[in-house]
Amino acid sequence: MFAILRRPAAVLAALATVLATIGTLTVGVADAAATPYCGIRWGSLPRAAGTASEHPLGAVRTGRHQCFDRVVFELDGPADGYRVAYVARLRSDGDGRVLPTAGGAVLRVHLEANVFDQLGHLHYPRLPGEHVGAVGGYRTLRDVVYAGCFEGTTTFGVGVRGRLPFRVFHLSGPGSHSRIVLDVAHRW
C-alpha cells in the first residue's frame, strides 16, 4: 500500500483510465438507447388517409421481415382509403358483437373499400370472425380476423403481441390493383 502512495501520478493515471473507460461505456449505452430499433420512428397513434373506393378487396396476405411483420390488403383496382388504430376489442361490422382476436393488443383496420364489386359479385368470401392470416411463428403478429363489411367499408382486426409501433401506406400495382400495407414493428 505504501508503494502506491509513493507513486501518486501512476495511481491518478490508472484512475483516469478506469473512469474514461466507464464514461465511454455509459455514453455507448446512452447512444444505443437513443437510437430507434431498426431506425423505426413510427409510433402507435391512429392513422388515416385516402378516400372511399368503388374497387373491392380481393386478398389478404401476411409476411415476415427482419424488423417488422406485415399485413397486405390487396384491392382489385385503385384504392387508398384506410383508418387504423388500436382498440380495446374487435367488434364485427353491423351487429357489433365482440370477435375473439389473439394477442396482447388489437389493431382495427378499416378499409374504405367493399368486398363486393359494382355488380354485387362477392370478391372476398369470408364470414365475420373468420381468422384469415397464417401467422404461426411470427414475432409480432398473432392473428388476422375478418370483422365484416358494412355500408361499403371492410374491417379487420390484427392481433399483435403488444401495443407496438406501426405504419400504414398505399402501393399501386401490380397492374391495375393496389395495396394497403400495415407494418408492425417487432419492438420499440
Side-chain angles (χ1 to χ4, degrees):
M1 180 165 161
F2 293 110
I4 294 174
L5 293 177
R6 281 188 248 167
R7 297 187 196 161
V11 170
L12 288 176
L15 184 58
T17 302
V18 169
L19 290 175
T21 303
I22 291 171
T24 303
L25 293 174
T26 303
V27 169
V29 169
D31 288 345
T35 303
Y37 171 69
C38 289
I40 292 173
R41 298 180 185 274
W42 302 336
S44 62
L45 296 177
R47 312 272 197 293
T51 58
S53 173
E54 61 188 35
H55 301 285
L57 174 72
V60 177
R61 296 184 307 280
T62 60
R64 291 182 283 193
H65 295 266
Q66 181 177 351
C67 300
F68 56 86
D69 289 343
R70 174 171 283 178
V71 182
V72 178
F73 303 92
E74 186 169 339
L75 297 118
D76 294 341
D80 64 357
Y82 60 83
R83 287 179 281 145
V84 180
Y86 280 103
V87 295
R89 23 184 107 64
L90 178 64
R91 296 188 176 274
S92 64
D93 282 350
D95 65 10
R97 71 187 154 96
V98 174
L99 300 174
T101 308
V106 178
L107 280 163
R108 179 178 169 266
V109 178
H110 185 83
L111 304 173
E112 300 292 337
N114 207 330
V115 293
F116 296 94
D117 65 18
Q118 293 177 332
L119 301 174
H121 298 116
L122 182 62
H123 282 251
Y124 192 74
R126 301 287 189 268
L127 296 174
E130 192 171 339
H131 302 269
V132 298
V135 295
Y138 282 55
R139 285 186 59 187
T140 298
L141 295 181
R142 296 295 183 258
D143 207 352
V144 181
V145 178
Y146 176 63
C149 184
F150 186 70
E151 295 184 351
T153 62
T154 304
T155 304
F156 289 85
V158 177
V160 296
R161 186 170 36 81
R163 189 178 176 117
L164 294 163
F166 70 93
R167 70 177 173 180
V168 187
F169 58 96
H170 167 262
L171 292 172
S172 296
S176 64
H177 289 214
S178 60
R179 293 161 286 161
I180 294 174
V181 178
L182 168 66
D183 291 336
V184 184
H186 291 160
R187 64 181 182 85
W188 280 95

